[in-house]
Amino acid sequence: MNAGQARNRRLAATAAAVALLAGAAACSSSGGSGGGGTAAASPSAGFKPGVLSRADAGQTISVLLPPWGDMAQPQLAKFTAATGIKVNLEQMAWDSIHDKVVSAEAAGVAPADVTEVDWSWVGQFGAAGWYTPLNKWLPASLIGGSPVAANFSVSGQQIAMPYNIDFRSTIVNMTLLKKAGITSPPTTWAQLLTDAQQIKARGVLASPVGVPLSVTEGTSTPWYALIKSAGGSVLDSSGNPAFSSSTSAGAQALQLEATLYKDGLIPQGEISLTDQQTSNLFAAGQIAIELSYSPSALSAYTTPATSKVAKDDIVLAPIPGTDGTTTGTFGLPEGLGIPKQSTHQAAAAMFIDWWEQLPQLLASYNNPNMGNVPPLTSALSYLNSHNDLIDGSAVMAILPSVSPLFTGGAPTWYPQFSTDVATMIQNVVEGKSSVSAALSQLASETQSLKAQS
Amino acid sequence: MGTNGRRRGTLVLLLAPAFLIIGVLVLYPLGVSLWNSVHEDNALVFTHQFTGGRNYTLVLHDPAFLQAAMNTLGYLVVVTLGALVLGLGMAFFLHNVARFRAVALAIIVLPWAVPGIVTGALWSFIFNPVNGLLNGVLQWLGVINSPHIWLEGRLTGIFFISLTLIWQITPICAVIFLAGLESIPRELYEEASVEGASAFDTLRLITLPLLRPSLAIGLLQASVLAIGIFDQIVVLAGYAPGSISVVMQLYLYAFRDFNFGLGMAASMIVTAGTLLVSLVYIKGVYREVSY
């Protein structure tokens, strides 16, 4: 081998190492997926759900939450003072928490003692058996006091406790509607179309309705919300598609979205916008009706620093239904759960119990960096009675109609189903597929996912 | 122990950290990935049975993976071509500029230091079809009458997403090419000038042949980044099948479907593909040069 060949081989080896790193680093694991068979710890005889004791004083628990779970240190210090348990709160991006939980559980270790559990993760996390059922660790009255707790129930096991109460509703800029001569938010799909056409015809806005249409989760949820508002469901009680028939709520909801887009009532650019970007359009006054979004956005819309329409009359309304009667909407709450691998189960349970108490729920709502609408009816009533809940009467009016999107928790195949739904919606509004053909294909894909699971 | 023995011992001692690092960070994860790729490894199934090449067969017959592979090929072609042309252009500019060269170099290199997720967010403001910068500028210039949806359609989507990656990788390619240009002896150009060679002849017969080692390294960098594209796509196009890359698809196998075995098999296939591309550059572009 001459010097040139040697150098050539060294370079090739370096290149190979770089390539290996790129591939291997993209997906590596320390072994087989563990955690599934781990038995849940039970409370000791002395543990009393709902009572903050000093039995676990001296322990330190780790808590892993997204930025809106960043409880202030002085508040956390009160928990330490009451229980002697120190809290190490780690903040991480929402989707990174999901990946960290999956990676850690696959490696058979606890990602933290308390972690974020999103409603959409419940099916998979529940089936994998990664989280401790909280039924014996928290008072039944606490679980029963939340209208969205059922979102975290898998076969009767409460795998997390909600710490906010996000649900889908319609947000309307009445100032813009009034400019078009409209005096109240639309209550039916027909009225929604008429109002939008009137706003467009009067030259108030070119495309007044905001609905994200990119292939993201935010595109799927408005379709689910319209189905719920029309009294339908996405899946039937057996978990089969309930949208196959042309008269189903799913078919009608999809047709409505297609009509809104075809008639130019939704900005054409929505095809590549996310729900957050659609929200930005509302805050910029470029749309007047945000068909399906979180009531927590009201805070940003009514704050001059984050909204150009802060001085406008922004109202929260039920999502329009087919006949003017809103039969329901669904919750997208986030919860606190305890991984079974955690070695501080009792301390973690006490922490969740403490978080659900009124002072913490108020702090979590009033802290501008958190803004979590409380998950307990009692806390919501308290806020509303003190006029501290933005558009409180509307929130309280919609609340009874909030129910889980999937009874028994999201199915294990929900993440892929959600992507398939968003892809289908985009194809239909762009005219690449008819409503019936698209729904037929989605039904077939859903059955396939169900069979694989 | 003789002199040779001591020298050998010193060599082993000096090389040990490098071998240890490569072993722990590259070979061990690679071995584990390979092992898991031939096993049923699914968090929802709770088994870890040997399945041979089944995961590989499933991946290679999965329409989603095949579409992702075609998309990735698109990113690879556009990004490497773009990085090559623009990188060379920048390198020639920096090579010939005398004043403010350090400042120009610092400015040009900036995009390389920006994380992928930030790059995606930045370009989402530019490509926003409703109130984005690109539409605004083109409408102001009278080039277009109404806003254009830049990421609509598979090919246009791949092209515009590739632009964000070109923006990010071109600086480092330019620096690598510049290092190659700087190492070419000036005497060669002086001799060519005396012999009456044209500028094009000089480029064709001196500059480009002597730049081949730098070109191979630069293109390899651009290719590895293009094959591994992830953040920019998620931010700009979500998980649209027409935009998704192979690395995104293997992420979905592992972290969306909890099917780690399938994810490992996909990652092995991507690794093999990356190696193949690397070998093409080594064999086709790289040449040892001496002055």
Side-chain angles (χ1 to χ4, degrees), chain A residues 327-338:
Chain A
T327 51
T329 185
F330 70 101
L332 304 90
E334 288 160 281
L336 302 169
I338 306 172

Side-chain angles (χ1 to χ4, degrees), chain A residues 241-322:
Chain A
F243 45 77
S244 307
S245 137
S246 61
T247 56
S248 66
Q252 292 176 58
L254 188 56
Q255 185 59 59
L256 174 70
E257 288 195 52
T259 304
L260 284 166
Y261 189 77
K262 183 169 69 68
D263 292 352
L265 303 174
I266 293 176
Q268 300 298 290
E270 285 275 24
I271 213 76
S272 63
L273 296 189
T274 63
D275 53 358
Q276 182 56 53
Q277 288 170 313
T278 301
S279 174
N280 293 343
L281 293 183
F282 189 92
Q286 291 179 293
I287 54 173
I289 301 169
E290 198 169 14
L291 192 54
S292 165
Y293 205 52
S294 167
S296 62
L298 284 171
S299 170
Y301 294 158
T302 52
T303 304
T306 50
S307 169
K308 288 182 182 170
V309 295
K311 290 182 179 171
D312 287 5
D313 181 16
I314 312 290
V315 301
L316 189 74
I319 292 171
T322 45

Side-chain angles (χ1 to χ4, degrees), chain A residues 34-41 105 108-109 128-133 339-342 345, chain B residues 46:
Chain A
T38 309
E105 290 290 350
V109 296
W130 288 342
Y131 280 78
T132 299
K340 282 182 184 169
Q341 306 280 357
S342 163
Q345 298 275 325
Chain B
F46 312 127

Side-chain angles (χ1 to χ4, degrees), chain B residues 1 21 36 38 54 67 116 124 128 154-155 173-174 190 193 210 224:
Chain B
M1 191 188 288
I21 289 169
N36 285 333
V38 291
R54 184 168 172 269
Q67 183 165 18
S124 74
N128 189 308
R154 188 178 177 193
L155 291 178
C173 287
E190 287 164 7
S193 177
L210 295 179
V224 169

Side-chain angles (χ1 to χ4, degrees), chain A residues 7 11 29 124 286 430, chain B residues 32 41 131 152 256 286 288:
Chain A
R7 271 192 291 271
L11 185 66
S29 158
Q124 288 183 316
Q286 291 179 293
E430 285 193 297
Chain B
V32 171
D41 189 3
N131 49 16
E152 191 179 28
R256 183 191 66 185
Y286 184 82
E288 190 67 25

